[in-house]
Amino acid sequence: MTFPQTAPYGSWKSPITSDLIVAGTIGLGGVAFDGEDIYWLEGRPTEEGRNVLVRRTPDGTVTDITPQPFNVRTRVHEYGGGSYLIVDGTIYFSNFADQRIYKQTRGSQPQPLTPESKRRYADAIIDSQRNRLICICEDHTQADREPENTIVSVDLDTGEVRVLVSGSDFYSSPRLCTNGTHLAWISWNHPNMPWDESQLWIATINADGSLGEATCIAGGTEESICEPRWSPDGRLYFSSDRTGWWNLYRYNRDGTIESLCEMEAEFAYPHWVFGLSNYGFASESRIICTYTQNGSWYLASLDANTKQLQPINTPYNNISSLQVRGNKIAFIGGSPTQQTAVVILDLGRGKTEILKRSSDLEIDPGYLSIPEAIAFPTKNGLTAYAWYYPPKNKDYVAPEGELPPLLVKSHGGPTAAASASLSLKVQYWTSRGFAYLDVNYGGSTGYGREYRQRLDRNWGIVDVDDCVNAAKYLVRQGKADGNRMAISGGSAGGYTTLAALTFKDTFKAGASYYGVSDLEALVKDTHKFESRYLDRLVGKYPEQKAIYETRSPIHHIDRLSCPVIFFQGLEDRVVPPNQAEMMVDVLKKKGLPVAYVPFEGEQHGFRRAENIKRALDGEFYFYSRVFGFEPADAIAPIAIDNL
């Protein structure tokens, strides 16, 4: 057989299969130093999505620390994060099944520290002087009202829980100063999300462990504070977007606040989860930090005294979970050609070492599509952004004159961002002959506060327009078939998908992953963290109920006239299953091709290997039937009504 063969787009045979992806790919996060040891979390689809803590010692030995059936994952805010802490070899972690904090010493089984209750814990720090943890607590005891969020202490001997800070709707980032005399933290209240408005507080710690009077030192109206962190010499640093960009600041001992590096770049990320880390201290005045511009992340060294920012060259354009210990830097790094990995960089020796990859699969570059950053015109004379991936498979070319089908991805959040890091899920599509467009629509992170606020009162409008205009831009460039364009997204991206399919006629098919179809149902039946999110994105409810109905696809099903497939976790508390099921029922009655794939035991996002595989293959199968091409591989069929 000679290559390349000529075959229609979509029918190309690819070595990047769903079996390969789920068998060989894990999630990575939560990097931490403990002395010379490095720890990280692995999310393992083949273990039903269990999060396992892993340790790597200086001699290169890598060991699983978390025994079965423990799962290092907290459900505070439902999204979690900040699920473990390591101090001198002792580990404290939240266990997913019961949400208790467990203590695990080296070589022993985890032992429960907190009592059985309906409390959840996250973002813990150690207060060794007082033999306790300080952390966020979310109390679900009162079933007839929303959970109560507080900052608490947990006695390391008795497990006694004591409330230290209360009164605000939400808290995060309790951080103890070097000598243990002061505590800093962030709070915010309904209807704000932490990236809208939040406050940074500081209080002295009394002799009995309680807190003295708290002082708000930063934040407030139209200002978001992120990542408070104490330097080795006892000064408090943080990120603020008071200039329109999340930049780094220092709170001085005389009460003044000093900007360290003012630039049009983001040194922080929206705190959807706890435990985010974008900077750390190599010394009292030297900060190692990450920042993003135009969709890419960079590593740099910042002198807090001279305010000089010095880039640190790496091959990575996506950097997260940054930890610093002297000249050693550990982080999660990814690039368009390299799998996401736990990386350690020794600045003293200039040496980089990869400790763990998200996948050990070696993919021939001939099957990898390299993303191109594009800027395109959109409504109101504005510009929006996306990552464009052309079809790529060294074994095939398309028939002369044929244009590829296009899959547009609307990311979640909606205050999130598309990444250009190598994703085998993206390459699954491009290596089969799809063009792929990952859109950073107005509202996305990484382009400043003003860009993020384009979505205020305009969710379901700006994001939809940007996804539509991104697709049309590619068609005008001759890079996509305008008659074979689909849109896909999860959660908030699922809403954008459904809204685009309902209110526009650009796309010919779509896939909603746990997406929102009824904004009113969502505002009535979602978790506390996001229960007032729509006040800013849509309008106050119930005062502006009419807007909710106007923008809800479920109320305008007569305008939807193309096939849709729905994927849904049946234990999802963020977007409950009824959101998908209402749409499916109406589409069936209307006679439109529709498929529904529910997953037992899954929450908001799929973690089990068999379900990840089923969803990926199922979406591809669905488009093959709609767009009329034959997949090269045998795929388990999906039941499609009305096809």
Side-chain angles (χ1 to χ4, degrees):
M1 186 179 295
T2 60
F3 291 102
Q5 299 182 71
T6 299
Y9 289 116
S11 66
W12 297 353
K13 186 173 183 60
S14 169
I16 306 172
T17 65
S18 59
D19 284 322
L20 190 77
I21 292 171
V22 298
T25 304
I26 58 174
L28 296 172
V31 177
F33 279 109
D34 184 47
E36 294 294 324
D37 296 340
I38 300 175
Y39 291 76
W40 63 86
L41 284 173
E42 295 185 4
R44 298 176 177 172
T46 55
E47 296 183 28
E48 298 187 337
R50 191 171 74 99
N51 284 348
V52 178
L53 188 62
V54 177
R55 180 182 70 233
R56 198 259 199 184
T57 53
D59 64 1
T61 302
V62 176
T63 308
D64 283 2
I65 301 302
T66 310
Q68 289 275 14
F70 292 97
N71 183 355
V72 183
R73 181 179 163 204
T74 176
R75 289 190 64 183
V76 178
H77 294 175
E78 297 301 334
Y79 295 106
S83 56
Y84 80 94
L85 171 71
I86 303 169
V87 183
D88 296 331
T90 299
I91 300 159
Y92 305 91
F93 69 90
S94 291
N95 181 47
F96 180 71
D98 55 14
Q99 289 298 292
R100 299 169 75 180
I101 295 178
Y102 283 75
K103 178 180 179 180
Q104 184 180 6
T105 57
R106 187 162 295 185
S108 69
Q109 288 289 308
Q111 299 298 320
L113 177 61
T114 54
E116 291 185 13
S117 69
K118 293 186 177 180
R119 290 171 169 171
R120 305 172 182 180
Y121 305 92
D123 211 6
I125 58 169
I126 191 77
D127 182 0
S128 55
Q129 292 181 20
R130 301 165 186 89
N131 194 44
R132 64 182 183 175
L133 300 178
I134 297 176
C135 61
I136 305 301
C137 176
E138 187 173 84
D139 193 337
H140 290 251
T141 303
Q142 301 295 326
D144 59 342
R145 66 184 188 189
E146 70 176 16
E148 181 183 12
N149 292 71
T150 57
I151 298 177
V152 302
S153 64
V154 179
D155 188 280
L156 295 181
D157 292 328
T158 66
E160 179 187 359
V161 178
R162 178 185 181 188
V163 175
L164 298 179
V165 187
S166 63
S168 293
D169 292 321
F170 301 98
Y171 297 95
S172 76
S173 312
R175 299 295 180 258
L176 194 64
C177 72
T178 311
N179 62 10
T181 59
H182 291 79
L183 185 73
W185 68 90
I186 291 173
S187 73
W188 66 97
N189 291 299
H190 288 312
N192 294 307
M193 301 299 281
W195 49 86
D196 296 325
E197 294 180 10
S198 53
Q199 295 80 42
L200 176 60
W201 299 82
I202 187 171
T204 57
I205 301 180
N206 298 323
D208 64 355
S210 64
L211 299 186
E213 184 177 352
T215 301
C216 181
I217 63 171
T221 304
E222 293 298 295
E223 181 180 3
S224 169
I225 306 295
C226 299
E227 288 192 57
R229 207 177 301 279
W230 298 88
S231 66
D233 62 348
R235 289 196 280 186
L236 184 61
Y237 290 69
F238 59 93
S239 292
S240 166
D241 69 351
R242 58 181 59 188
T243 65
W245 300 84
W246 271 311
N247 287 180
L248 291 172
Y249 293 82
R250 177 169 60 197
Y251 178 67
N252 293 315
R253 294 185 179 91
D254 61 2
T256 59
I257 292 177
E258 183 180 2
S259 174
L260 299 181
C261 183
E262 187 170 326
M263 59 189 291
E264 291 188 352
E266 303 274 42
F267 286 76
Y269 192 83
H271 276 217
W272 279 99
V273 298
F274 296 98
L276 296 178
S277 181
N278 288 292
Y279 72 97
F281 296 95
S283 67
E284 290 184 353
S285 61
R286 188 188 185 197
I287 299 170
I288 305 300
C289 56
T290 64
Y291 64 91
T292 181
Q293 286 183 313
N294 299 319
S296 291
W297 285 86
Y298 303 90
L299 188 66
S301 173
L302 173 63
D303 188 312
N305 293 330
T306 66
K307 303 181 182 178
Q308 294 297 308
L309 187 73
Q310 182 68 39
I312 299 172
N313 292 326
T314 77
Y316 305 103
N317 71 347
N318 193 41
I319 299 170
S320 62
S321 198
L322 177 70
Q323 300 294 325
V324 182
R325 186 178 181 273
N327 276 330
K328 291 186 178 180
I329 308 168
F331 56 89
I332 305 293
S335 80
T337 58
Q338 295 188 45
Q339 304 278 3
T340 300
V342 180
V343 179
I344 186 165
L345 171 60
D346 189 326
L347 292 176
R349 296 190 297 164
K351 180 183 177 182
T352 300
E353 183 181 1
I354 293 175
L355 306 186
K356 180 69 175 185
R357 297 184 188 272
S358 59
S359 173
D360 290 326
L361 300 172
E362 294 292 337
I363 306 296
D364 187 315
Y367 300 106
L368 296 182
S369 178
I370 304 301
E372 173 190 342
I374 64 170
F376 57 90
T378 190
K379 280 288 187 68
N380 301 317
L382 298 173
T383 298
Y385 307 93
W387 293 103
Y388 160 64
Y389 297 79
K392 180 69 177 294
N393 186 318
K394 69 174 186 177
D395 300 330
Y396 293 92
V397 293
E400 186 175 353
E402 183 184 359
L403 292 173
L406 172 67
L407 181 58
V408 171
K409 176 67 179 298
S410 55
H411 65 68
T415 312
S419 166
S421 290
L422 177 60
S423 166
L424 293 185
K425 288 183 180 180
V426 173
Q427 303 298 329
Y428 174 98
W429 294 95
T430 57
S431 62
R432 283 165 172 75
F434 269 71
Y436 192 98
L437 190 61
D438 210 348
V439 184
N440 273 320
Y441 49 77
S444 301
T445 291
Y447 304 90
R449 186 180 182 95
E450 183 179 344
Y451 192 83
R452 206 164 65 240
Q453 290 184 329
R454 285 188 189 179
L455 216 55
D456 287 1
R457 305 291 188 271
N458 286 305
W459 192 31
I461 298 175
V462 166
D463 49 325
V464 170
D465 285 339
D466 288 354
C467 286
V468 166
N469 287 323
K472 289 181 175 179
Y473 176 80
L474 281 194
V475 172
R476 290 196 302 271
Q477 298 288 315
K479 295 179 178 178
D481 183 347
N483 293 315
R484 293 191 295 170
M485 297 198 298
I487 184 170
S488 176
S491 190
Y495 167 67
T496 300
T497 292
L498 293 174
L501 294 171
T502 301
F503 302 119
K504 305 288 183 178
D505 59 4
T506 302
F507 301 104
K508 309 306 179 185
S512 170
Y513 287 75
Y514 36 91
V516 178
S517 62
D518 186 340
L519 294 175
E520 186 177 8
L522 177 67
V523 81
K524 288 180 177 179
D525 186 21
T526 193
H527 58 128
K528 179 185 177 182
F529 181 60
E530 293 185 85
S531 62
R532 300 288 300 279
Y533 191 17
L534 300 195
D535 282 23
R536 184 179 284 256
L537 293 179
V538 181
K540 290 186 177 181
Y541 184 87
E543 295 90 332
Q544 294 175 292
K545 178 179 178 179
I547 297 177
Y548 281 72
E549 293 179 347
T550 298
R551 295 193 201 163
S552 294
I554 191 68
H555 296 305
H556 305 276
I557 203 70
D558 58 303
R559 297 178 62 179
L560 201 163
S561 58
C562 67
V564 188
I565 187 169
F566 296 81
F567 300 94
Q568 180 69 44
L570 295 180
E571 294 182 11
D572 193 338
R573 279 285 296 118
V574 178
V575 179
N578 66 327
Q579 289 276 304
E581 292 162 358
M582 289 187 298
M583 286 290 282
V584 171
D585 289 343
V586 174
L587 290 172
K588 282 182 179 179
K589 292 174 183 176
K590 190 177 178 182
L592 282 172
V594 61
Y596 179 48
V597 186
F599 294 122
E600 293 278 358
E602 293 282 16
Q603 294 87 42
H604 197 63
F606 308 147
R607 291 174 169 81
R608 298 181 179 181
E610 64 272 20
N611 297 336
I612 296 170
K613 170 183 168 59
R614 181 65 166 161
L616 189 57
D617 284 341
E619 186 179 352
F620 185 74
Y621 175 85
F622 186 76
Y623 296 148
S624 75
R625 301 279 73 80
V626 172
F627 291 148
F629 61 82
E630 276 301 318
D633 300 305
I635 298 176
I638 294 287
I640 305 173
D641 289 289
N642 303 324
L643 185 64

